[in-house]
């Protein structure tokens, strides 16, 4: 049995909590439905994260640090890597609740624009202490 590439791509994206941000300003340009659900942003079947800054997913106390320090540092070396190596980080849902996350990042140029592809894994129940997603 052969699978169509578009069907495989759709199936893969449906199973991931991830998205794409512009590297220059941190704007979310694409979010999977699972990412929207995980962070509580899906409203009546419509996605609401695209067009917002990625910092909405970061605990409020760490948003400035993430925007002003961590994003520029990643921009200087946008290779594939796990964010906060060796730590369980914390994400913040739309309702303000926090949960432990692991985040994978990969820089890529898409249509001439430098972007960061990210994938988030909910680490609830995996053990470990959650730190702010804005921490190094």
């Amino acid at each position: 049995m052969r699978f169509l590439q578009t069907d495989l791509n759709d199936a893969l994206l449906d199973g991931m909590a991830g998205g794409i941000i512009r590297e220059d300003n941190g704007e979310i340009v694409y979010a999977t439905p699972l990412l929207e659900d995980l962070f509580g942003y899906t409203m009546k079947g419509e996605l609401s994260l695209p067009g917002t800054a990625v910092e909405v997913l970061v605990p409020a106390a760490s948003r400035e640090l993430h925007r002003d320090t961590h994003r520029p540092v990643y921009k200087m070396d946008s290779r594939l890597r796990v964010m906060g190596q060796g730590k369980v980080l914390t994400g913040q849902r739309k309702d303000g609740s926090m949960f432990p996350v692991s985040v994978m990042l990969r820089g890529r140029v898409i249509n001439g624009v430098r972007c960061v592809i990210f994938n988030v894994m909910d680490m609830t129940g995996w053990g470990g202490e959650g730190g702010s997603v804005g921490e190094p």
Side-chain angles (χ1 to χ4, degrees), residues 44-98:
K44 299 178 186 170
E46 294 183 21
L47 303 181
S48 59
L49 280 173
T52 63
V54 70
E55 281 77 25
V56 300
L57 308 178
V58 175
S62 299
R63 288 177 182 165
E64 187 175 325
L65 176 67
H66 186 268
R67 182 192 66 233
D68 297 341
T69 303
H70 298 302
R71 276 203 286 123
V73 167
Y74 182 77
K75 186 177 180 178
M76 291 186 295
D77 182 15
S78 58
R79 60 186 159 78
L80 175 66
R81 67 172 167 249
V82 175
M83 200 167 126
Q85 195 78 25
K87 295 181 181 181
V88 177
L89 306 173
T90 303
Q92 181 172 319
R93 292 186 178 96
K94 185 177 183 179
D95 67 6
S97 63
M98 311 276 194

Side-chain angles (χ1 to χ4, degrees), residues 13 20 24-25 32 34 58-60 68 72 85 88 101 112 114 135:
L13 289 175
I20 301 171
D24 60 349
N25 64 8
T32 66
L34 192 55
V58 175
D68 297 341
Q85 195 78 25
V88 177
V101 296
R114 290 181 57 89
E135 291 177 3

